[in-house]
Amino acid sequence: MNEQKQDDVPDTAATKGVSAVKTGRFASLRNDPKGWLVAILGIGAPIAFLIASVGSGVGLWGWQAGLGAVPIILLVAIITLLIAIVGVILDRRKGRKTRWPLLGLGTIVTVGFIGIFMNSAISIATLPAIHDITTDLADTPEFIALTLRADNWDNIPGADDSEMRGMNPRQRWATVHQDAYPDIRSVRIDQPAPAVIEKAKRLAEDRGWEIVSVDAAAGHLEATATTSLFRFKDDVVIRARAAENGAASIIDMRSVSRVGVHDLGANAKRVRQFLSDLSGTTTAASQ
């Protein structure tokens, strides 16, 4: 009889323990709903962004749908931050002690997530909505193996600008390009053109670009760069022309996004970095 009673005790204690855990969880949620809300939304926003971008990248949905979700996700993040700020202010005014563990976690993640997009916001505000960047506006390197997107000259800014009245889209593109990226110019390298193209091929491969066409003798290379997450593809052409009887080369580069209107400065960044690595120091060629 005593042995039977002893066996019953652990079962009763275990049941009470599980009940206490469940009650504690619900009590925690009731006692700190603001913290739970901020934590869930704050962590959920970057997760939703990853789902939107990776889903677009692997083809689960179109890139338009993936990008279209980003403003909504950012809005949720901003609202989450406002909830956290207002909650702390109300706690102070009402003399309540702020519960920081969940609230702090959600706030930190939210601030970091919003901060990641600050550069993009600045780029949208300060850079023109173009997606075709080159070192030579007068004689742009042309694609041979790859095909320039059909709508490349559509939606070029400046159509309603009185200072560009009468210009065609390509002329407007050259004007806004020069104003936004005056530093992107041809570079001179003290190596023969074929050697430069071979080096450019190695650098492109190191970056994970897909080499589409390379003709070292002709001084021509084409490749496709794929961005992370959304997996956007940008086409690149590099041209090397002999200078000083072949002892040196004048290098030009062009990088064009396949989709979208505003590249957020990504193509200009690619051209700057690649030419810097290719030449060692980016020295503008004398024109």
Side-chain angles (χ1 to χ4, degrees):
M1 182 66 69
N2 290 338
E3 184 176 347
Q4 181 65 35
K5 288 182 179 180
Q6 288 175 355
D7 290 341
D8 291 341
V9 172
D11 293 337
T12 303
T15 302
K16 290 182 178 179
V18 172
S19 177
V21 170
K22 292 181 178 179
T23 303
R25 288 175 180 172
F26 286 117
S28 176
L29 179 58
R30 287 196 303 268
N31 293 335
D32 191 17
K34 175 173 71 273
W36 279 103
L37 179 62
V38 170
I40 292 172
L41 293 179
I43 296 173
I47 292 176
F49 171 75
L50 287 175
I51 292 173
S53 58
V54 173
S56 294
V58 300
L60 294 179
W61 43 75
W63 64 269
Q64 297 95 334
L67 277 184
V70 173
I72 299 173
I73 295 170
L74 280 173
L75 179 60
V76 170
I78 292 171
I79 292 174
T80 302
L81 184 59
L82 291 176
I83 292 173
I85 293 172
V86 171
V88 172
I89 293 174
L90 291 178
D91 284 344
R92 294 293 183 269
R93 288 185 175 180
K94 295 183 179 182
R96 294 193 300 250
K97 182 178 179 180
T98 301
R99 297 174 179 269
W100 281 110
L102 290 172
L103 183 67
L105 173 63
T107 302
I108 291 172
V109 173
T110 300
V111 170
F113 179 67
I114 294 174
I116 292 174
F117 289 90
M118 289 304 297
N119 285 337
S120 297
I122 293 172
S123 296
I124 291 174
T126 60
L127 296 175
I130 58 177
H131 53 266
D132 185 345
I133 303 300
T134 183
T135 55
D136 190 340
L137 294 169
D139 183 13
T140 58
E142 298 297 335
F143 292 101
I144 299 174
L146 292 167
T147 302
L148 188 65
R149 53 189 283 186
D151 65 344
N152 195 61
W153 306 115
D154 295 347
N155 302 312
I156 301 298
D160 299 325
D161 191 329
S162 59
E163 295 183 359
M164 287 188 275
R165 183 177 293 118
M167 292 184 180
N168 61 40
R170 184 158 184 159
Q171 291 171 329
R172 295 200 309 272
W173 163 76
T175 299
V176 298
H177 184 300
Q178 177 61 34
D179 290 341
Y181 307 109
D183 63 305
I184 295 183
R185 296 176 289 170
S186 306
V187 299
R188 177 184 177 279
I189 298 178
D190 293 326
Q191 293 179 20
V196 173
I197 291 298
E198 289 295 338
K199 182 179 179 181
K201 178 176 178 289
R202 293 193 296 271
L203 287 175
E205 290 173 336
D206 289 344
R207 284 166 161 76
W209 298 357
E210 177 189 354
I211 305 299
V212 178
S213 173
V214 58
D215 188 339
H220 190 87
L221 181 147
E222 294 180 41
T224 299
T226 303
T227 64
S228 57
L229 294 179
F230 280 97
R231 309 298 293 172
F232 290 134
K233 294 185 180 297
D234 300 336
D235 293 325
V236 175
V237 54
I238 299 168
R239 181 181 68 198
R241 289 174 169 173
E244 299 178 9
N245 296 322
S249 306
I250 302 299
I251 313 302
D252 287 296
M253 181 173 174
R254 185 180 186 184
S255 182
V256 185
S257 300
R258 286 190 185 179
V259 298
V261 176
H262 202 314
D263 69 357
L264 306 180
N267 286 297
K269 182 179 180 181
R270 178 179 296 113
V271 171
R272 288 191 188 103
Q273 292 181 342
F274 190 87
L275 290 181
S276 178
D277 290 345
L278 184 64
S279 62
T281 57
T282 305
T283 305
S286 57
Q287 300 295 322

